[in-house]
Amino acid sequence: MFNKIDKQILKIALPSIISNITIPLLGLIDIAIVGHMGNVVYIGAVSVGSMIFNLIYWLFTFLRMGTSGLTSQSLGQRNLSEVTSVLLRSFTIAQGLALAIILTQQPLRQLLIFFIAPKADVMPYVDTYFNIVVWGAPAVLGINSLTGWFVGMQNTRIPMAVSIIQNVTNIVASLSLVYGLHMKIEGVATGTVIAQYAGLLTALFLLRKHYTRLIPYYQRNKVFIKVGILKFFSINKDIFLRTLCLVFTNLYFTSTGARLGTVILSANAVIMQLYLLFSYIMDGFAYAGEALGGRLYGAHNVRGFRKMVRRLFGWTLVLTAAYTLLYIVGSMDFIKLLTDEEPVLQATRNYIYWAWVVPAAGAAAFIWDGIFIGTTATKGMLISAFFSTAGFLAICLLTKPIIGNHGLWLAMIAYLALRGIIQTFIYLKSEKYKFNV
């Protein structure tokens, strides 16, 4: 039977899981539409363009994470004045960063294209896609900020609704522009931007509908108070640097696999989809750690906090076992849904067992990330990410020359496991200090 904490965890986790599952649909919809335009360069252009914006916006995930932790703690302290201040502070900073992206769009585009190095034939279409989609930055960063605030307020249903509306709008807008108005890459890009602003307007509408009761707690002079700004940027600096470590690891994994050949690159890419499937579920429980952990921590509810941590890891144990069994039994059947290229399938069979240990290696890091965000213990996240990345790089450099792609996967599994192990030690060391007992 589920106890009270379990019900609270699932209330937050399940809508978050649905939201996570819908996120990849935005990119898949665009690929599906351009895939029927009769020219392969359109697919390449959208793929490169999407990669550029994924890299940009990934670096700004601190807006969601930092806002979530600060909001949930303020809620636990029943400090509703600070709850409203965090919302306005975060959203204003998000819009300032979006403006910076728009103002620096050309050098930013050139820098990222230099690193990605797409083929010359897709470049004109990449430019077209980028020059349109970049104007969605205020919407994307605004949604990040609002999502973090909603999660901190223990409400993941609104972000779920925003994700669903974004996807429906993207389908309708892109299909209408491409097939109704006979636009090409411009139609897909414009449809994406329309969907992004539809998501932002939905979030703002639901914010007004459900949280007007907080207006009396608004204190203008507290929104940009120095101590609040310094705390916001201190927390988000750690998250930003931690994200850089994650970006580096993923880019290095991909680029190193590419140097081993196209078949190995493709095999690694399809195996990595199994990790993404696991991450969609675990992120939902990480959100529960953010929301509940921050609120209980803010309320100094030591007993409730520790019980929540135990129950989260109970769920993690069950999900890890289920996913491991599922991957051992059916991972190759799933891979065959993604590709029917025999060389890729053969290569995948040689490395698929690395995917079997991904759930066990990576599960703890998801939960600790959520708990550390909720308690704003972001320094611990940065430390674990830094040393795990260093471990990944060392193992890769030592083993890849000897065992090839197996060495690359060994390094990735070690990286995932190290993050969870280091965060466990940090938690055990600092728990007594955090709660003053």
Side-chain angles (χ1 to χ4, degrees), residues 31-88:
I31 293 293
I33 292 173
V34 298
H36 293 85
M37 286 185 179
N39 193 331
V40 70
V41 296
Y42 293 136
I43 300 176
V46 170
S47 298
V48 172
S50 298
M51 186 185 302
I52 288 173
F53 286 106
N54 286 341
L55 288 173
I56 293 172
Y57 295 140
W58 197 7
L59 293 175
F60 292 107
T61 53
F62 64 79
L63 284 168
R64 190 202 65 74
M65 294 180 178
T67 302
S68 172
L70 291 169
T71 302
S72 59
Q73 284 188 41
S74 299
L75 183 66
Q77 295 162 0
R78 300 185 184 277
N79 187 350
L80 297 184
S81 174
E82 183 60 17
V83 165
T84 59
S85 294
V86 170
L87 169 63
L88 294 171

Side-chain angles (χ1 to χ4, degrees), residues 41 77 121 134 166 204 217 238 240 254 258 275 295 306 322 332 335 340 348 354 368 379 390 398-399 413 422-423 427:
V41 296
Q77 295 162 0
D121 57 345
V134 72
Q166 265 193 276
L204 290 172
Y217 296 97
D238 294 336
F240 176 78
T254 302
Y275 171 72
R295 178 169 60 80
R306 290 174 177 169
M332 279 308 302
I335 297 298
D340 58 1
T348 301
W354 289 109
W368 286 130
K379 187 69 68 177
L398 287 172
T399 61
I413 295 300
I422 293 171
Q423 286 172 310
Y427 173 80

Side-chain angles (χ1 to χ4, degrees), residues 258-279:
R259 286 194 290 273
L260 294 173
T262 302
V263 172
I264 296 297
L265 172 65
S266 301
N268 286 349
V270 294
I271 293 172
M272 190 58 76
Q273 298 307 306
L274 294 168
Y275 171 72
L276 293 177
L277 284 176
F278 182 64
S279 73

Side-chain angles (χ1 to χ4, degrees), residues 104-392:
T104 61
Q105 59 181 276
Q106 292 310 316
L108 189 61
R109 178 183 61 81
Q110 292 170 5
L111 176 65
L112 290 170
I113 285 177
F114 171 78
F115 283 112
I116 296 173
K119 299 294 184 181
D121 57 345
V122 306
M123 275 305 303
Y125 303 101
V126 171
D127 288 342
T128 298
Y129 185 87
F130 180 92
N131 292 337
I132 294 172
V133 175
V134 72
W135 292 96
V140 174
L141 297 190
I143 290 172
N144 276 354
S145 171
L146 292 170
T147 297
W149 190 81
F150 289 134
V151 171
M153 294 296 289
Q154 324 291 290
N155 186 338
T156 53
R157 289 168 296 176
I158 290 179
M160 178 184 70
V162 170
S163 293
I164 292 172
I165 287 174
Q166 265 193 276
N167 280 286
V168 172
T169 303
N170 192 33
I171 293 171
V172 173
S174 295
L175 288 175
S176 299
L177 292 170
V178 171
Y179 294 105
L181 298 181
H182 306 291
M183 299 172 70
K184 296 292 186 181
I185 199 78
E186 300 91 341
V188 173
T190 303
T192 297
V193 174
I194 291 171
Q196 289 165 345
Y197 279 100
L200 177 62
L201 292 174
T202 300
L204 290 172
F205 171 78
L206 293 174
L207 173 69
R208 181 178 180 182
K209 180 179 179 181
H210 293 284
Y211 294 101
T212 52
R213 68 181 186 276
L214 295 178
I215 292 176
Y217 296 97
Y218 166 64
Q219 297 182 39
R220 183 178 180 182
N221 63 325
K222 288 191 175 182
V223 175
F224 293 105
I225 191 171
K226 184 178 180 181
V227 65
I229 293 292
L230 290 177
K231 186 175 183 180
F232 185 87
F233 279 106
S234 174
I235 290 169
N236 288 321
K237 176 198 68 179
D238 294 336
I239 298 175
F240 176 78
L241 294 174
R242 168 255 189 194
T243 304
L244 281 180
C245 291
L246 268 61
V247 169
F248 171 82
T249 301
N250 282 278
L251 286 177
Y252 192 91
F253 180 86
T254 302
S255 62
T256 303
R259 286 194 290 273
L260 294 173
T262 302
V263 172
I264 296 297
L265 172 65
S266 301
N268 286 349
V270 294
I271 293 172
M272 190 58 76
Q273 298 307 306
L274 294 168
Y275 171 72
L276 293 177
L277 284 176
F278 182 64
S279 73
Y280 296 150
I281 304 298
M282 294 310 303
D283 264 338
F285 287 88
Y287 277 28
E290 291 179 33
L292 294 175
R295 178 169 60 80
L296 293 167
Y297 177 81
H300 298 287
N301 185 344
V302 181
R303 183 179 178 183
F305 182 89
R306 290 174 177 169
K307 185 176 182 181
M308 181 272 304
V309 172
R310 289 195 298 271
R311 297 307 298 171
L312 274 176
F313 276 99
W315 281 102
T316 300
L317 185 63
V318 171
L319 290 167
T320 298
Y323 264 90
T324 301
L325 179 61
L326 182 65
Y327 286 174
I328 291 173
V329 173
S331 54
M332 279 308 302
D333 291 327
F334 174 76
I335 297 298
K336 289 175 182 178
L337 295 175
L338 300 179
T339 180
D340 58 1
E341 295 291 333
E342 188 54 41
V344 175
L345 290 174
Q346 185 57 48
T348 301
R349 292 186 185 97
N350 295 331
Y351 305 107
I352 192 64
Y353 53 81
W354 289 109
W356 300 351
V357 297
V358 161
F366 283 101
I367 302 303
W368 286 130
D369 276 352
I371 292 169
F372 281 24
I373 290 167
T375 58
T376 57
T378 51
K379 187 69 68 177
M381 294 174 64
L382 174 57
I383 290 170
S384 67
F386 176 80
F387 284 105
S388 300
T389 300
F392 164 84

Side-chain angles (χ1 to χ4, degrees), residues 381-424:
M381 294 174 64
L382 174 57
I383 290 170
S384 67
F386 176 80
F387 284 105
S388 300
T389 300
F392 164 84
L393 191 59
I395 293 171
C396 188
L397 292 175
L398 287 172
T399 61
K400 189 183 75 68
I402 302 172
I403 55 177
N405 196 48
H406 288 292
L408 186 57
W409 274 105
L410 175 63
M412 176 57 74
I413 295 300
Y415 161 78
L416 295 174
L418 276 172
R419 282 179 58 202
I421 292 169
I422 293 171
Q423 286 172 310
T424 300

